[in-house]
Amino acid sequence: MHIARSLAAVLAAGALALTGCAGDDLSSDNASDDSSASGGGDKGSVTIAGQNFPEATLVASMYEQLLEDAGYTVDTKLVDSRDAYMPTFPGDVDIVPEYVGGIVNFLNTQANGDKAEPFEAGDGQQLADDGKSLLDDAGITLLDISPATDTNAFFVTQEYSESEGVTTLSDLEGKSVVLAAAPDCEGRLDCEGGLSDDYGIDVTKVLELGYASDQTYQSVISGESQLGETSTTDGTLESQGLVVLEDDKAIQPAQNLVPAVSAEFLAEHEDVADILNPLMAALTTENLTEMNGQMAVDRAKPEDVAQEFLESEGLL
């Protein structure tokens, strides 16, 4: 999720006009290239932007379905990385499905430079409070923070873990690895930067294959790379013979899911909070992991998984 997800070699802001699938960073066969929809609502239009990896696509679909049901006409644009939509948010973009640590640290580096000391609170609300001035300056309001959290994670093959005696990221200290990851991973403190600086891992190359993407999985499985980037809610790893290495130095900030909304848009559409906040309360790390598994293992469509969940929770 990045610090980015988030969440990559950065797409231009104009890429918002394009469609894709990924997150802080990533493309996936499970995400649709364009999930824009036109409802016949009478509350006006709302533009959602987000990253194009499966989980972000899933949550964006939940937002879209809830807002359409409430009477909004929704246009959803998914792109490869946070860097691609942030130049137009707030502005052309009204709402983004976000991760607390991702957006706060993105704004932090934007305001204070790439070497800015990151916000590292492990509690989502504390991290949001720490970054409030940055959010206010950017004209962004965070709605209710979900208990569901999804941090970056790094995996190896089970075979590599056993043969090299590697179960934590610290076990890779001094080892040379090729890393398959999101396009914006290089230099990020929650990605390549932290692996290199905090863990002392010699990352010889970053292959920009996507966050939790099929290309990243296959790169590690084939031995092209030794380490891959995914999330802690990835429900596909065991079935592929992959295993997450423990982040024993805790370089990942809290990444609770949260709707990030243009403060100006929210002032004009106060009901948006009432529409999205119940979803945040309903999401948990456990049910998010289960839904990720439905998309990745069972090949269910994000919009179908989203609808089933919303209906089961009485939200739709």
Coordinates of all heavy atoms in Angstrom, one line a residue, residues 76-161:
T76 N -14.9 6.1 -12.1 CA -13.8 5.5 -11.4 C -12.6 5.3 -12.3 O -12.8 4.7 -13.4 CB -14.2 4.1 -10.8 OG1 -15.3 4.3 -9.9 CG2 -13.0 3.5 -10.0
K77 N -11.5 5.8 -11.9 CA -10.3 5.7 -12.8 C -9.1 5.1 -11.9 O -8.7 5.7 -10.9 CB -9.9 7.1 -13.2 CG -11.0 7.8 -14.1 CD -10.6 9.3 -14.4 CE -11.7 9.9 -15.2 NZ -11.5 11.3 -15.5
L78 N -8.7 4.0 -12.4 CA -7.6 3.3 -11.7 C -6.3 3.3 -12.5 O -6.3 3.2 -13.7 CB -8.0 1.8 -11.4 CG -9.3 1.6 -10.7 CD1 -9.6 0.1 -10.5 CD2 -9.3 2.3 -9.3
V79 N -5.2 3.6 -11.7 CA -3.9 3.8 -12.4 C -2.9 3.0 -11.6 O -3.2 2.3 -10.6 CB -3.5 5.3 -12.4 CG1 -4.5 6.1 -13.3 CG2 -3.5 5.9 -11.0
D80 N -1.6 3.0 -12.1 CA -0.6 2.1 -11.6 C 0.0 2.5 -10.3 O 0.5 1.7 -9.6 CB 0.5 2.0 -12.6 CG 0.2 1.0 -13.7 OD1 -0.8 0.2 -13.6 OD2 0.8 1.0 -14.8
S81 N -0.1 3.8 -9.9 CA 0.6 4.2 -8.7 C 0.0 5.4 -8.1 O -0.7 6.2 -8.8 CB 2.1 4.4 -8.9 OG 2.3 5.6 -9.7
R82 N 0.2 5.7 -6.8 CA -0.3 6.8 -6.2 C 0.2 8.1 -6.8 O -0.5 9.1 -6.9 CB 0.2 6.8 -4.7 CG -0.3 8.0 -3.8 CD 0.1 7.8 -2.4 NE -0.8 6.8 -1.7 CZ -0.4 5.6 -1.3 NH1 0.9 5.3 -1.5 NH2 -1.2 4.8 -0.7
D83 N 1.4 8.1 -7.3 CA 2.0 9.3 -8.0 C 1.2 9.7 -9.1 O 1.2 10.9 -9.5 CB 3.4 9.0 -8.4 CG 4.3 8.4 -7.3 OD1 4.1 7.2 -7.0 OD2 5.2 9.2 -6.8
A84 N 0.4 8.8 -9.8 CA -0.3 9.2 -11.0 C -1.6 10.0 -10.7 O -2.0 10.8 -11.5 CB -0.7 7.9 -11.7
Y85 N -2.2 9.7 -9.5 CA -3.5 10.4 -9.2 C -3.3 11.6 -8.3 O -4.2 12.5 -8.2 CB -4.6 9.4 -8.8 CG -4.3 8.7 -7.5 CD1 -4.4 9.3 -6.2 CD2 -4.1 7.3 -7.5 CE1 -4.2 8.6 -5.1 CE2 -3.9 6.6 -6.4 CZ -3.9 7.2 -5.1 OH -3.7 6.5 -4.0
M86 N -2.3 11.6 -7.5 CA -2.2 12.6 -6.4 C -2.1 14.0 -7.0 O -2.5 15.0 -6.4 CB -1.0 12.3 -5.5 CG -1.3 11.2 -4.5 SD -2.8 11.5 -3.4 CE -2.2 12.9 -2.5
P87 N -1.4 14.2 -8.2 CA -1.4 15.6 -8.7 C -2.8 16.2 -9.0 O -2.9 17.4 -9.2 CB -0.6 15.4 -10.0 CG 0.3 14.2 -9.8 CD -0.6 13.3 -9.0
T88 N -3.8 15.3 -9.2 CA -5.1 15.8 -9.5 C -6.1 15.6 -8.3 O -7.3 15.7 -8.5 CB -5.7 15.2 -10.7 OG1 -5.7 13.7 -10.6 CG2 -4.8 15.5 -11.9
F89 N -5.5 15.3 -7.1 CA -6.4 15.1 -5.9 C -5.8 15.9 -4.8 O -4.7 15.8 -4.4 CB -6.3 13.6 -5.5 CG -7.1 13.3 -4.2 CD1 -8.4 13.6 -4.1 CD2 -6.4 12.8 -3.1 CE1 -9.1 13.3 -2.9 CE2 -7.0 12.5 -1.9 CZ -8.4 12.8 -1.8
P90 N -6.7 16.8 -4.2 CA -8.1 17.1 -4.6 C -8.1 17.9 -5.9 O -7.0 18.6 -6.2 CB -8.7 17.9 -3.5 CG -7.7 17.9 -2.4 CD -6.3 17.5 -3.0
G91 N -9.2 18.0 -6.6 CA -9.3 18.8 -7.8 C -10.2 18.0 -8.7 O -11.4 17.9 -8.5
D92 N -9.6 17.4 -9.7 CA -10.4 16.6 -10.7 C -10.9 15.3 -10.0 O -11.9 14.7 -10.4 CB -9.6 16.2 -11.9 CG -9.3 17.4 -12.7 OD1 -10.0 18.4 -12.6 OD2 -8.3 17.4 -13.5
V93 N -10.2 14.8 -9.0 CA -10.5 13.6 -8.2 C -11.1 14.0 -6.9 O -10.6 14.9 -6.2 CB -9.3 12.7 -8.0 CG1 -9.6 11.6 -7.1 CG2 -8.7 12.2 -9.3
D94 N -12.2 13.4 -6.5 CA -12.9 13.7 -5.3 C -12.7 12.7 -4.1 O -12.6 13.2 -3.0 CB -14.4 13.7 -5.5 CG -14.8 14.7 -6.7 OD1 -14.4 15.8 -6.6 OD2 -15.5 14.2 -7.6
I95 N -12.5 11.4 -4.4 CA -12.4 10.4 -3.4 C -11.4 9.4 -3.8 O -11.4 9.0 -5.0 CB -13.8 9.7 -3.1 CG1 -14.8 10.7 -2.7 CG2 -13.6 8.6 -2.1 CD1 -16.2 10.1 -2.6
V96 N -10.6 8.9 -2.9 CA -9.6 7.9 -3.1 C -9.7 6.8 -2.0 O -9.6 7.2 -0.8 CB -8.2 8.5 -3.2 CG1 -7.2 7.4 -3.4 CG2 -8.1 9.5 -4.4
P97 N -9.8 5.6 -2.4 CA -9.6 4.5 -1.4 C -8.1 4.5 -1.0 O -7.2 4.2 -1.8 CB -10.0 3.2 -2.1 CG -10.7 3.7 -3.3 CD -10.1 5.0 -3.7
E98 N -7.8 4.8 0.3 CA -6.4 4.9 0.6 C -6.0 4.1 1.8 O -6.8 3.4 2.4 CB -6.1 6.4 1.0 CG -5.6 7.2 -0.2 CD -4.2 6.8 -0.6 OE1 -3.6 5.9 0.0 OE2 -3.7 7.4 -1.6
Y99 N -4.7 4.1 2.1 CA -4.1 3.5 3.3 C -3.5 4.6 4.1 O -2.8 5.5 3.6 CB -3.1 2.5 2.9 CG -3.6 1.4 2.0 CD1 -3.8 1.5 0.6 CD2 -4.0 0.2 2.6 CE1 -4.3 0.5 -0.2 CE2 -4.5 -0.9 1.8 CZ -4.7 -0.7 0.4 OH -5.2 -1.7 -0.4
V100 N -3.7 4.6 5.4 CA -3.3 5.8 6.2 C -1.8 6.1 6.1 O -1.4 7.2 5.8 CB -3.6 5.5 7.7 CG1 -3.1 6.7 8.6 CG2 -5.1 5.4 7.9
G101 N -1.0 5.1 6.3 CA 0.5 5.3 6.2 C 0.9 5.8 4.8 O 1.8 6.6 4.6
G102 N 0.3 5.2 3.8 CA 0.6 5.5 2.4 C 0.4 7.0 2.1 O 1.3 7.7 1.6
I103 N -0.8 7.5 2.4 CA -1.1 8.9 2.0 C -0.4 9.9 2.9 O 0.1 10.9 2.4 CB -2.6 9.1 1.9 CG1 -2.9 10.5 1.3 CG2 -3.3 9.0 3.3 CD1 -4.3 10.7 0.8
V104 N -0.3 9.6 4.2 CA 0.4 10.5 5.1 C 1.9 10.7 4.7 O 2.4 11.8 4.6 CB 0.2 10.1 6.5 CG1 1.2 10.8 7.4 CG2 -1.2 10.3 7.0
N105 N 2.5 9.6 4.5 CA 3.9 9.6 4.1 C 4.2 10.1 2.7 O 5.2 10.7 2.4 CB 4.6 8.3 4.4 CG 4.9 8.1 5.8 OD1 5.6 8.9 6.4 ND2 4.4 7.0 6.4
F106 N 3.2 9.9 1.8 CA 3.3 10.5 0.5 C 3.3 12.0 0.6 O 4.2 12.8 0.0 CB 2.2 10.1 -0.4 CG 2.3 10.7 -1.8 CD1 2.9 10.0 -2.8 CD2 1.7 11.9 -2.1 CE1 3.0 10.5 -4.1 CE2 1.8 12.4 -3.4 CZ 2.4 11.7 -4.4
L107 N 2.4 12.6 1.4 CA 2.3 14.0 1.6 C 3.5 14.5 2.3 O 4.0 15.6 2.1 CB 1.0 14.4 2.3 CG -0.3 14.1 1.6 CD1 -1.5 14.3 2.5 CD2 -0.4 14.9 0.3
N108 N 4.0 13.7 3.2 CA 5.2 14.1 4.0 C 6.4 14.3 3.1 O 7.1 15.3 3.1 CB 5.5 13.1 5.0 CG 6.7 13.5 6.0 OD1 6.9 14.6 6.3 ND2 7.4 12.5 6.4
T109 N 6.7 13.4 2.2 CA 7.8 13.5 1.3 C 7.6 14.6 0.2 O 8.5 15.3 -0.2 CB 8.1 12.2 0.5 OG1 6.9 11.7 -0.1 CG2 8.5 11.1 1.5
Q110 N 6.3 14.8 -0.1 CA 6.0 15.8 -1.1 C 6.3 17.2 -0.5 O 6.8 18.1 -1.1 CB 4.5 15.7 -1.5 CG 4.2 16.3 -2.8 CD 2.7 16.0 -3.2 OE1 1.8 16.1 -2.4 NE2 2.5 15.7 -4.5
A111 N 6.0 17.4 0.8 CA 6.1 18.6 1.5 C 7.6 18.8 2.0 O 8.1 20.0 2.0 CB 5.2 18.8 2.7
N112 N 8.2 17.8 2.4 CA 9.5 17.9 3.0 C 10.7 17.2 2.4 O 11.8 17.2 2.9 CB 9.4 17.4 4.5 CG 8.3 18.1 5.3 OD1 8.3 19.3 5.3 ND2 7.4 17.4 5.9
G113 N 10.4 16.6 1.2 CA 11.5 16.0 0.4 C 11.6 14.5 0.7 O 11.1 14.0 1.6
D114 N 12.3 13.8 -0.3 CA 12.4 12.4 -0.2 C 13.1 11.9 1.0 O 12.9 10.7 1.4 CB 13.2 11.9 -1.5 CG 12.4 12.1 -2.7 OD1 11.1 12.2 -2.6 OD2 13.0 12.1 -3.8
K115 N 13.9 12.7 1.7 CA 14.7 12.3 2.8 C 14.0 12.6 4.1 O 14.5 12.5 5.2 CB 16.1 12.9 2.9 CG 16.9 12.5 1.6 CD 17.2 11.0 1.6 CE 18.1 10.6 0.5 NZ 18.4 9.2 0.4
A116 N 12.7 13.1 4.0 CA 12.0 13.4 5.2 C 11.8 12.2 6.2 O 11.6 11.1 5.7 CB 10.6 14.0 4.9
E117 N 11.9 12.5 7.4 CA 11.7 11.4 8.4 C 10.3 10.9 8.3 O 9.3 11.7 8.4 CB 11.9 11.9 9.8 CG 11.9 10.9 10.9 CD 13.1 10.0 10.9 OE1 14.1 10.3 10.3 OE2 13.0 8.9 11.5
P118 N 10.1 9.6 8.1 CA 8.7 9.1 7.8 C 7.9 9.0 9.1 O 8.4 8.9 10.2 CB 9.0 7.7 7.3 CG 10.3 7.3 7.9 CD 11.1 8.6 7.9
F119 N 6.6 9.1 9.0 CA 5.7 8.9 10.1 C 5.6 7.3 10.3 O 5.2 6.6 9.3 CB 4.3 9.5 9.8 CG 4.3 11.0 9.8 CD1 4.7 11.7 8.7 CD2 4.0 11.7 11.0 CE1 4.7 13.1 8.7 CE2 3.9 13.1 11.0 CZ 4.3 13.8 9.9
E120 N 5.9 6.8 11.5 CA 6.0 5.4 11.6 C 5.0 4.8 12.7 O 5.2 3.6 13.0 CB 7.4 5.1 12.0 CG 8.4 5.4 11.0 CD 9.9 5.1 11.4 OE1 10.1 5.2 12.6 OE2 10.7 4.9 10.5
A121 N 4.1 5.6 13.1 CA 3.1 5.1 14.2 C 2.5 3.8 13.7 O 2.1 3.6 12.5 CB 2.1 6.1 14.5
G122 N 2.4 2.8 14.6 CA 1.8 1.5 14.2 C 0.3 1.5 14.4 O -0.4 0.6 14.0
D123 N -0.2 2.6 14.9 CA -1.7 2.7 15.1 C -2.2 3.7 14.1 O -1.7 4.8 13.9 CB -2.0 3.3 16.5 CG -3.4 3.6 16.7 OD1 -4.2 2.6 17.0 OD2 -3.8 4.7 16.6
G124 N -3.3 3.2 13.4 CA -3.8 4.0 12.3 C -4.3 5.4 12.7 O -4.0 6.4 12.0
Q125 N -5.0 5.5 13.8 CA -5.5 6.8 14.2 C -4.4 7.7 14.6 O -4.4 8.9 14.3 CB -6.6 6.6 15.3 CG -7.3 7.9 15.7 CD -8.0 8.5 14.5 OE1 -8.9 7.8 14.0 NE2 -7.7 9.7 14.1
Q126 N -3.4 7.2 15.3 CA -2.3 8.0 15.7 C -1.6 8.5 14.5 O -1.1 9.7 14.5 CB -1.3 7.2 16.6 CG -0.1 8.0 17.1 CD -0.5 9.2 18.0 OE1 -1.3 9.0 18.9 NE2 -0.1 10.4 17.6
L127 N -1.4 7.7 13.5 CA -0.7 8.1 12.3 C -1.5 9.2 11.6 O -0.9 10.2 11.1 CB -0.5 6.9 11.4 CG 0.4 7.1 10.2 CD1 1.8 7.6 10.6 CD2 0.6 5.8 9.4
A128 N -2.8 9.1 11.5 CA -3.6 10.1 10.9 C -3.5 11.4 11.7 O -3.5 12.5 11.1 CB -5.1 9.6 10.9
D129 N -3.5 11.3 13.0 CA -3.4 12.5 13.8 C -2.0 13.2 13.6 O -1.9 14.4 13.5 CB -3.6 12.1 15.3 CG -5.0 11.7 15.7 OD1 -5.9 12.0 14.9 OD2 -5.2 11.1 16.7
D130 N -1.0 12.3 13.5 CA 0.4 12.9 13.3 C 0.4 13.6 12.0 O 1.2 14.6 11.9 CB 1.4 11.7 13.3 CG 1.6 11.1 14.7 OD1 1.1 11.7 15.7 OD2 2.2 10.0 14.8
G131 N -0.3 13.1 11.0 CA -0.2 13.8 9.7 C -1.3 14.8 9.4 O -1.5 15.2 8.2
K132 N -2.1 15.2 10.4 CA -3.3 16.0 10.2 C -2.9 17.3 9.5 O -3.6 17.8 8.6 CB -4.0 16.3 11.5 CG -5.3 17.0 11.3 CD -6.1 17.2 12.6 CE -7.5 17.8 12.3 NZ -7.5 19.0 11.5
S133 N -1.8 18.0 9.9 CA -1.5 19.3 9.3 C -1.1 19.1 7.8 O -1.5 19.9 7.0 CB -0.3 19.9 10.0 OG 0.9 19.1 9.9
L134 N -0.5 18.0 7.5 CA -0.2 17.7 6.1 C -1.5 17.5 5.3 O -1.6 18.0 4.2 CB 0.7 16.5 5.9 CG 2.1 16.6 6.5 CD1 2.8 15.2 6.6 CD2 2.9 17.5 5.5
L135 N -2.4 16.8 5.8 CA -3.7 16.5 5.2 C -4.5 17.8 5.0 O -5.0 18.1 4.0 CB -4.5 15.5 6.0 CG -3.9 14.1 6.0 CD1 -4.5 13.3 7.2 CD2 -4.3 13.4 4.7
D136 N -4.5 18.6 6.1 CA -5.2 19.9 6.0 C -4.7 20.8 5.0 O -5.4 21.4 4.2 CB -5.2 20.6 7.4 CG -6.1 19.9 8.4 OD1 -6.9 19.0 8.1 OD2 -5.9 20.2 9.6
D137 N -3.3 20.9 4.9 CA -2.7 21.7 3.9 C -3.0 21.3 2.5 O -3.1 22.1 1.6 CB -1.2 21.7 4.1 CG -0.8 22.5 5.4 OD1 -1.6 23.2 5.9 OD2 0.4 22.3 5.8
A138 N -3.2 20.0 2.3 CA -3.4 19.4 1.0 C -4.9 19.5 0.6 O -5.3 19.2 -0.5 CB -3.0 18.0 0.9
G139 N -5.8 19.9 1.6 CA -7.2 19.9 1.3 C -7.8 18.5 1.3 O -8.8 18.3 0.6
I140 N -7.3 17.6 2.1 CA -7.8 16.3 2.2 C -8.3 15.9 3.6 O -7.7 16.2 4.6 CB -6.7 15.3 1.8 CG1 -6.2 15.5 0.4 CG2 -7.1 13.8 2.0 CD1 -5.0 14.7 0.0
T141 N -9.5 15.3 3.6 CA -10.1 14.8 4.9 C -10.1 13.3 4.9 O -10.6 12.7 3.9 CB -11.5 15.4 5.1 OG1 -11.4 16.8 5.1 CG2 -12.1 14.8 6.4
L142 N -9.7 12.7 5.9 CA -9.8 11.2 6.1 C -11.1 10.9 6.8 O -11.4 11.5 7.9 CB -8.6 10.6 6.8 CG -7.2 10.8 6.2 CD1 -6.2 10.1 7.1 CD2 -7.2 10.3 4.8
L143 N -11.9 10.0 6.3 CA -13.1 9.6 7.0 C -12.7 8.6 8.1 O -11.6 8.5 8.5 CB -14.1 9.1 6.0 CG -14.6 10.0 4.9 CD1 -15.7 9.4 4.0 CD2 -15.1 11.4 5.5
D144 N -13.7 7.8 8.5 CA -13.4 6.8 9.6 C -12.3 5.8 9.1 O -12.3 5.3 8.0 CB -14.6 6.1 10.0 CG -15.6 6.9 10.8 OD1 -15.2 8.1 11.1 OD2 -16.7 6.4 11.1
I145 N -11.4 5.5 10.0 CA -10.3 4.6 9.7 C -10.8 3.2 10.0 O -11.4 2.9 11.1 CB -9.1 4.9 10.6 CG1 -8.5 6.3 10.1 CG2 -8.0 3.8 10.5 CD1 -7.5 6.8 11.0
S146 N -10.6 2.3 9.1 CA -11.1 0.9 9.2 C -10.1 0.1 10.1 O -8.9 0.4 10.1 CB -11.2 0.2 7.9 OG -11.5 -1.2 8.0
P147 N -10.7 -0.9 10.9 CA -9.7 -1.8 11.6 C -9.0 -2.7 10.6 O -7.9 -3.3 11.0 CB -10.7 -2.6 12.5 CG -12.0 -2.5 11.8 CD -12.1 -1.2 11.2
A148 N -9.5 -2.8 9.4 CA -8.8 -3.6 8.4 C -7.5 -2.9 8.0 O -7.4 -1.7 7.7 CB -9.6 -3.8 7.1
T149 N -6.4 -3.7 8.1 CA -5.1 -3.1 7.7 C -4.3 -4.0 6.8 O -4.5 -5.2 6.8 CB -4.3 -2.8 9.0 OG1 -3.0 -2.2 8.7 CG2 -4.0 -4.1 9.8
D150 N -3.5 -3.4 5.9 CA -2.8 -4.2 4.9 C -1.5 -3.5 4.7 O -1.4 -2.5 4.0 CB -3.6 -4.2 3.6 CG -2.9 -5.1 2.6 OD1 -1.9 -5.6 2.9 OD2 -3.4 -5.1 1.4
T151 N -0.4 -4.0 5.2 CA 0.9 -3.4 5.0 C 1.7 -4.1 3.9 O 1.3 -5.3 3.5 CB 1.8 -3.5 6.3 OG1 2.0 -4.8 6.7 CG2 1.1 -2.8 7.5
N152 N 2.7 -3.5 3.4 CA 3.6 -4.1 2.5 C 4.2 -5.3 3.1 O 4.5 -5.4 4.3 CB 4.7 -3.2 2.0 CG 4.2 -2.1 1.1 OD1 3.1 -2.1 0.6 ND2 5.0 -1.1 1.0
A153 N 4.5 -6.4 2.4 CA 5.2 -7.6 2.8 C 6.1 -8.1 1.7 O 5.9 -7.8 0.5 CB 4.2 -8.6 3.3
F154 N 7.1 -8.9 2.1 CA 8.0 -9.4 1.1 C 8.1 -10.9 1.3 O 8.2 -11.4 2.4 CB 9.4 -8.7 1.3 CG 9.3 -7.2 1.1 CD1 9.1 -6.4 2.3 CD2 9.4 -6.6 -0.1 CE1 8.9 -5.0 2.1 CE2 9.2 -5.2 -0.3 CZ 9.0 -4.4 0.8
F155 N 8.1 -11.5 0.1 CA 8.0 -13.0 0.1 C 9.2 -13.6 -0.7 O 9.8 -13.0 -1.6 CB 6.7 -13.5 -0.4 CG 6.5 -13.2 -1.9 CD1 6.9 -14.0 -2.9 CD2 5.8 -12.0 -2.3 CE1 6.7 -13.7 -4.2 CE2 5.6 -11.7 -3.6 CZ 6.0 -12.6 -4.6
V156 N 9.4 -14.9 -0.3 CA 10.4 -15.7 -1.1 C 9.7 -17.1 -1.3 O 8.6 -17.3 -0.8 CB 11.7 -15.9 -0.3 CG1 12.4 -14.6 0.0 CG2 11.4 -16.6 1.1
T157 N 10.3 -17.9 -2.1 CA 9.8 -19.3 -2.3 C 10.0 -20.0 -1.0 O 11.0 -19.8 -0.2 CB 10.4 -20.0 -3.4 OG1 11.8 -20.2 -3.2 CG2 10.2 -19.3 -4.7
Q158 N 9.2 -21.0 -0.7 CA 9.4 -21.9 0.4 C 10.7 -22.6 0.3 O 11.4 -22.8 1.3 CB 8.2 -22.9 0.5 CG 8.3 -23.8 1.7 CD 7.9 -23.1 3.0 OE1 6.9 -22.3 3.1 NE2 8.7 -23.2 4.0
E159 N 11.1 -23.0 -0.9 CA 12.3 -23.6 -1.1 C 13.5 -22.7 -0.7 O 14.5 -23.2 0.0 CB 12.5 -24.1 -2.6 CG 13.8 -24.8 -2.9 CD 13.9 -25.1 -4.4 OE1 12.9 -24.8 -5.2 OE2 14.9 -25.7 -4.8
Y160 N 13.5 -21.5 -1.1 CA 14.5 -20.5 -0.8 C 14.6 -20.3 0.7 O 15.7 -20.3 1.3 CB 14.3 -19.2 -1.5 CG 15.4 -18.2 -1.3 CD1 16.5 -18.1 -2.1 CD2 15.3 -17.3 -0.2 CE1 17.5 -17.1 -1.9 CE2 16.3 -16.3 0.0 CZ 17.4 -16.2 -0.9 OH 18.3 -15.3 -0.7
S161 N 13.4 -20.2 1.4 CA 13.4 -20.0 2.8 C 14.0 -21.1 3.5 O 14.8 -20.9 4.5 CB 11.9 -19.8 3.3 OG 11.8 -19.8 4.7

